[in-house]
Amino acid sequence: SLKQVLESAGVSLTFRNCSSLNALCQGANYITEIGELDFSTVTKVNSTSLFPQCYSLKSIDKIILPPTQTTFSDWFTDCTALENVIFEGTINANNFNISASPLNQASLASIVDCLANRTGQSVYTVTLGQANIDKLSEQQIATITQTKGWTLA
């Protein structure tokens, strides 16, 4: 896997001063797992389709989110095998969509934890898809929709 190759070579990826993250892994069907992606030093993000056509991607150890986000709408559109992705930071972009991915409980919990509190602001939508929504507890749904003020789809 890409994760093992990078780790064995002692290589880490840095995205310092990146202005576009579009198609980071486009069509890379051989990638099944990725280690940590640290976007914390990215100052301006133009990223709509981060993992297009990555049908075999099953796990991303961690995504450290950039300090500002423009969109998450298509980051995971084609990630139909993605079960594990842990987020760190704040998700504060409308139309966060990860509905194609059959996420595990830890991944869903990290999304819930990272959603910004939108109370008193315009309502944003997080699209998890019905299969993932069915995995959420009543408390997690209440946190998303009532405590943090997001629309759940």
Side-chain angles (χ1 to χ4, degrees):
S1 74
L2 177 63
K3 176 184 170 184
Q4 292 169 331
V5 170
L6 292 174
E7 286 176 355
S8 67
V11 174
S12 62
L13 300 176
T14 180
F15 300 92
R16 182 168 285 128
N17 299 322
C18 247
S19 62
S20 176
L21 300 173
N22 287 341
L24 182 66
C25 296
Q26 183 168 359
N29 283 326
Y30 54 89
I31 297 176
T32 58
E33 61 180 343
I34 297 173
E36 181 177 290
L37 294 174
D38 185 350
F39 301 129
S40 63
T41 60
V42 176
T43 55
K44 178 184 175 190
V45 181
N46 176 19
S47 56
T48 55
S49 190
L50 203 58
F51 303 101
Q53 303 162 355
C54 290
Y55 305 109
S56 300
L57 183 60
K58 289 186 174 190
S59 179
I60 303 171
D61 288 350
K62 184 190 294 185
I63 295 178
I64 302 173
L65 298 166
T68 59
Q69 298 138 18
T70 55
T71 181
F72 276 115
S73 59
D74 296 323
W75 273 31
F76 304 98
T77 300
D78 299 325
C79 296
T80 54
L82 185 62
E83 298 172 352
N84 181 68
V85 57
I86 303 300
F87 294 93
E88 182 180 299
T90 302
I91 298 169
N92 194 19
N94 199 12
N95 298 318
F96 178 82
N97 185 349
I98 195 163
S99 61
S101 303
L103 299 174
N104 62 28
Q105 290 290 339
S107 299
L108 291 167
S110 81
I111 291 169
V112 173
D113 290 345
C114 288
L115 288 175
N117 188 335
R118 301 289 309 161
T119 304
Q121 302 173 55
S122 59
V123 177
Y124 281 0
T125 299
V126 56
T127 304
L128 300 178
Q130 193 58 54
N132 286 322
I133 292 171
D134 291 345
K135 297 174 192 176
L136 295 173
S137 69
E138 289 181 21
Q139 178 61 43
Q140 287 173 314
I141 291 171
T143 298
I144 293 169
T145 59
Q146 296 171 14
T147 307
K148 295 191 174 191
W150 287 67
T151 297
L152 182 59

